[in-house]
Amino acid sequence: MNIILFGPPGSGKGTQSTLLVKTLGMRQVSTGDLFREAIKNKTSVGLRAKQYMDLGNLVPDSIVLEMVEENLKGAPSNFILDGFPRNLEQANSLDLLLKKIGIGIDKVIFLEVDKKDLIKRLVGRRVCSQCGSVYHVVTKPCSIDKVCDSCGGAVIQRADDSEEVVLSRLDVYEQYTSPLRGYYKSLGKYNEVNGNRNPTDVFEDIKKLM
Ligand code: AMP
């Protein structure tokens, strides 16, 4: 099954994708992770994307599409699109791309989370700079301060998880990404899951849709 997992920043897309990868062997295509990797490796895509990401803005569609196309070539199946598409233009381009490579999206799963909780989740979020494990200063702290429990790597705050950038990312989401709900409803592919719960309960509901 090929799915789009979408929702506001901090709604748990990354966490749920990781669970889908582990339990159902799906492949996660996260545009945010791909950009962070590109920035780490100082590639030209990374350098171009960084200036937009630092401010919480969307990276221009041409750059995003180039990267997604690169990752979807070879007609893969059983994948999760996480963080893409993020506006209607990207959704239209995705439709064309999938048609070209002869595959389709089976379901779109929207994770619904209250705005005040999103802010708390994002501002308190910390991530391992080595393996990407996710922590939270209040709800899931590391056993040793700033050291990853899984791999011993340095646990840091993402530059775009500062309160100022978080607020701007949520505005960008409302303006550009939220209209995709209507788009996918009109295609009959839309499913909504209550993301205001612990990850295990959210995952149980997602599994029922698979
Ligand atoms: P994420 O990890 O999904 O929260 O993405 C982090 C940042 O990467 C976003 O705030 C954007 O700047 C950029 N980004 C990720 N995916 C996209 C996309 N599909 N379109 C434009 N920008 C994106």
Side-chain angles (χ1 to χ4, degrees):
M1 179 174 298
N2 300 327
I3 66 165
I4 295 174
L5 196 54
F6 107 99
S11 56
K13 300 185 295 292
T15 303
Q16 295 302 324
S17 294
T18 305
L19 292 169
L20 285 166
V21 170
K22 274 193 193 145
T23 57
L24 302 182
M26 297 179 81
R27 184 157 81 90
Q28 177 192 16
V29 180
S30 156
T31 41
D33 285 350
L34 290 169
F35 282 134
R36 281 183 287 278
E37 192 61 26
I39 290 171
K40 213 167 160 182
N41 296 330
K42 298 192 168 64
T43 66
S44 89
V45 164
L47 292 175
R48 280 183 286 158
K50 188 176 182 320
Q51 53 188 311
Y52 300 96
M53 292 174 73
D54 283 350
L55 297 173
N57 292 328
L58 293 183
V59 175
D61 292 348
S62 57
I63 305 178
V64 185
L65 288 161
E66 185 185 316
M67 205 180 58
V68 171
E69 186 154 7
E70 183 62 29
N71 269 274
L72 286 186
K73 72 180 176 202
S77 61
N78 216 21
F79 62 80
I80 312 153
L81 287 179
D82 160 5
F84 177 86
R86 245 174 163 104
N87 59 30
L88 283 169
E89 291 73 20
Q90 291 184 8
N92 288 325
S93 303
L94 175 66
D95 292 345
L96 292 175
L97 172 65
L98 293 179
K99 209 167 165 189
K100 193 168 92 183
I101 54 183
I103 49 177
I105 294 293
D106 301 293
K107 280 190 180 161
V108 175
I109 302 176
F110 173 73
L111 292 175
E112 195 278 317
V113 177
D114 297 339
K115 188 170 176 181
K116 65 172 187 347
D117 289 332
L118 293 172
I119 297 172
K120 279 193 216 153
R121 285 185 188 188
L122 288 165
V123 174
R125 178 165 71 178
R126 300 293 181 268
V127 289
C128 174
S129 54
Q130 296 294 322
C131 71
S133 292
V134 181
Y135 298 90
H136 188 280
V137 287
V138 177
T139 56
K140 196 186 170 207
C142 326
S143 306
I144 303 171
D145 192 33
K146 296 182 184 148
V147 179
C148 178
D149 291 356
S150 306
C151 76
V155 173
I156 54 157
Q157 182 176 34
R158 263 171 58 172
D160 60 351
D161 279 346
S162 69
E163 187 161 358
E164 193 190 351
V165 181
V166 161
L167 294 176
S168 123
R169 286 164 66 201
L170 290 172
D171 285 348
V172 166
Y173 168 79
E174 277 305 325
Q175 191 177 346
Y176 299 103
T177 313
S178 183
L180 288 178
R181 295 169 77 173
Y183 177 72
Y184 286 116
K185 272 181 194 164
S186 73
L187 295 182
K189 298 198 172 188
Y190 181 86
N191 299 271
E192 196 165 304
V193 168
N194 175 2
N196 295 290
R197 297 170 297 159
N198 72 59
T200 318
D201 292 344
V202 175
F203 189 57
E204 285 308 310
D205 280 3
I206 291 181
K207 266 199 303 195
K208 288 183 198 144
L209 295 169
M210 305 303 289

